[in-house]
Amino acid sequence: MELTVLLLLLAVFLAIGVPVAFSLGAASLVTFMLLDIPMLVAFQRMAGSMNVFTLMAIPFFVFAGDLMARTGIAERMVRVAEGAVGRARGGLGQVDVGASMMFGAVSGSAVASVSAMGSTLMPMMKEKGYDTDYAVNVTITAAILGILIPPSHNMIIYAAASPVSVSVGDLFLAGVIPGLLAGAALMFVAWRVAINRGYPGGEFPGWVQFARAFVGAFPGLMTALIIVFGILLGVFTPTESSAVAVIYTILVGVLVYRTLGLGKFVEAASGAVRTTAMVMLIIGTAGMFGWLFAFLHGPELLANTLTTISSNPVIILLMILAILLILGAFMDMAPLIIITTPIFLPVAMDVGIDPVHFGIIMLINLGIGLVTPPVGSVLFVGCAVGGAKPEAVIRTIWPFYGALIAVMLLVAFVPSLSLWLPEQFK
């Protein structure tokens, strides 16, 4: 009964528009009272969920991403991508995906990516005669690449939420090939849609201009290399790497690009504080909710239900993916990772799925949720930046959805795509 009350209250609160963190907290507190468990235990669980050393990386990575968006790194990456892929039909769509891949490699944030790329490329696309819905569709789906290509603070959240030990370094490496595959798939779709709509191609600026653009963007691109190889070589931990990313970004912004002043620094810091406060509140209440769910044997009941339907590992994995896709349409990514990882990871491991592999599948899946109504945060940020109505964007986004789902299924059923690279560094 208590488990039913917990889940029902959460569903009701979310349905009436209560913010996710407060929905999780309220449903949990009512259930704690029904179980006659002291409130002290509830707040201990909440505090314990936030008091994890690995989670210190989140504010630093958020801060670094915000600094990068304000110091002109995004514009420099656009110029590199334009020289590399801008000649194709619908060239600016290709540039959007390519630049998002590079920006994702240094920011790790889908929202930061859609804000930076959208404000830079959407006006350019409209000026060249591209439809608004196309510009928004390419930008928001390409922003998901920042979740997969390291560094990604969502990978850190997954590692912290996992009931078994998962290496953040392995997750960073595991996301590289799936991220590149997703980028290639989105480029192909952007090209095909551009041909169908008759969009023009771009012009190659010449090797000299391309080399200049690459050299200009190189200091920013070095951020991802410093972080990943610093972790792999044992120079610093994943948590320490986030602080290194902030220091390096400040040095690049002040000494190399000379675009980071006190005003932008304060804006980035205050934005990182607000974002971190929201994320940590969600992590705390989700931890409290997750403890209750486990206390009431929810994971065992779910596992038994899935295995009752089928004992085939393929069917079980497809059911998990379908459930996550549905949940991703109604909840944001961070709380879903925290709530569902302890529930679904043991089930996945029982059918032979590696925790690192499952983490990458989950991130692709929940990334799709970020551009799916009614709650998709990246969808609505992209529409706001591009001045488009969400319903108009959703009507034409299906080819891009199809590309992302195809990559998710390919990664899910070909484990080597995510596990090969981590194995090379062991």
Side-chain angles (χ1 to χ4, degrees):
M1 173 192 167
E2 289 84 359
L3 181 60
T4 303
V5 170
L6 177 68
L7 298 176
L8 186 60
L9 283 175
L10 176 64
V12 170
F13 287 138
L14 290 173
I16 62 176
V18 177
V20 173
F22 296 107
S23 297
L24 290 166
S28 301
L29 290 175
V30 171
T31 309
F32 267 106
M33 287 188 285
L34 283 177
L35 292 167
D36 200 25
I37 298 176
M39 288 294 104
L40 178 61
V41 176
F43 291 105
Q44 283 176 336
R45 295 297 170 183
M46 184 175 178
S49 299
M50 295 185 286
N51 189 25
V52 178
F53 180 74
T54 307
L55 295 178
M56 286 183 63
I58 294 175
F60 286 114
F61 276 133
V62 171
F63 188 26
D66 206 337
L67 286 170
M68 291 167 193
R70 296 174 190 274
T71 52
I73 290 177
E75 289 83 354
R76 288 173 171 83
M77 291 177 180
V78 167
R79 287 198 286 271
V80 174
E82 191 170 12
V85 296
R87 288 169 290 177
R89 289 289 294 274
L92 286 178
Q94 311 292 319
V95 170
D96 200 332
V97 178
S100 294
M101 291 172 72
M102 289 186 284
F103 190 75
V106 296
S107 74
S109 169
V111 173
S113 181
V114 76
S115 300
M117 294 299 115
S119 59
T120 303
L121 279 164
M122 285 187 196
M124 293 173 62
M125 282 194 256
K126 291 179 183 179
E127 187 179 324
K128 295 289 185 180
Y130 292 70
D131 295 313
T132 301
D133 64 314
Y134 176 86
V136 175
N137 284 334
V138 174
T139 303
I140 63 177
T141 52
I144 296 173
L145 302 175
I147 296 168
L148 296 172
I149 299 174
S152 167
H153 63 262
N154 287 293
M155 292 180 179
I156 295 169
I157 295 174
Y158 171 79
S162 171
V164 298
S165 177
V166 179
S167 166
V168 174
D170 285 350
L171 285 170
F172 280 1
L173 289 172
V176 172
I177 294 176
L180 295 174
L181 280 175
L186 290 175
M187 281 186 171
F188 175 77
V189 171
W191 173 71
R192 285 301 311 170
V193 174
I195 289 177
N196 292 340
R197 296 192 181 191
Y199 296 150
E203 294 181 0
F204 182 57
W207 288 108
V208 174
Q209 292 298 322
F210 175 73
R212 286 177 179 172
F214 181 80
V215 170
F218 186 73
L221 291 171
M222 279 293 293
T223 308
L225 296 177
I226 291 171
I227 291 170
V228 173
F229 283 100
I231 294 171
L232 293 176
L233 296 174
V235 179
F236 36 71
T237 67
T239 305
E240 292 166 348
S241 74
S242 61
V244 171
V246 171
I247 295 170
Y248 179 78
T249 304
I250 291 172
L251 292 175
V252 170
V254 173
L255 301 179
V256 180
Y257 295 151
R258 299 183 180 181
T259 53
L260 180 61
L262 182 60
K264 290 182 179 179
F265 180 86
V266 172
E267 289 173 1
S270 60
V273 168
R274 287 193 298 270
T275 302
T276 302
M278 290 187 291
V279 170
M280 294 306 289
L281 181 59
I282 290 171
I283 288 173
T285 53
M288 183 168 56
F289 180 92
W291 181 86
L292 261 181
F293 191 76
F295 179 79
L296 296 171
H297 305 289
E300 293 92 331
L301 289 172
L302 180 61
N304 292 336
T305 302
L306 291 177
T307 52
T308 299
I309 296 173
S310 174
S311 59
N312 188 320
V314 173
I315 300 299
I316 291 175
L317 180 56
L318 287 174
M319 286 192 292
I320 293 174
L321 294 178
I323 293 170
L324 288 174
L325 277 175
I326 294 169
L327 292 175
F330 294 94
M331 288 183 68
D332 208 357
M333 192 169 192
L336 268 179
I337 292 173
I338 298 162
I339 294 170
T340 59
T341 298
I343 297 171
F344 290 119
L345 180 55
V347 180
M349 291 175 66
D350 285 343
V351 296
I353 299 174
D354 184 271
V356 172
H357 179 210
F358 184 75
I360 300 303
I361 303 169
M362 173 180 274
L363 291 176
I364 301 173
N365 189 303
L366 299 183
I368 296 171
L370 293 177
V371 293
T372 305
V375 179
S377 56
V378 172
L379 167 66
F380 292 109
V381 170
C383 289
V385 173
K389 293 183 178 180
E391 54 269 26
V393 169
I394 290 300
R395 279 198 294 268
T396 56
I397 200 174
W398 299 105
F400 298 92
Y401 274 153
L404 291 171
I405 291 173
V407 171
M408 178 185 71
L409 293 174
L410 182 63
V411 172
F413 294 108
V414 185
S416 59
L417 291 174
S418 54
L419 297 179
W420 179 80
L421 198 54
E423 288 170 356
Q424 304 311 303
F425 285 88
K426 288 184 178 178

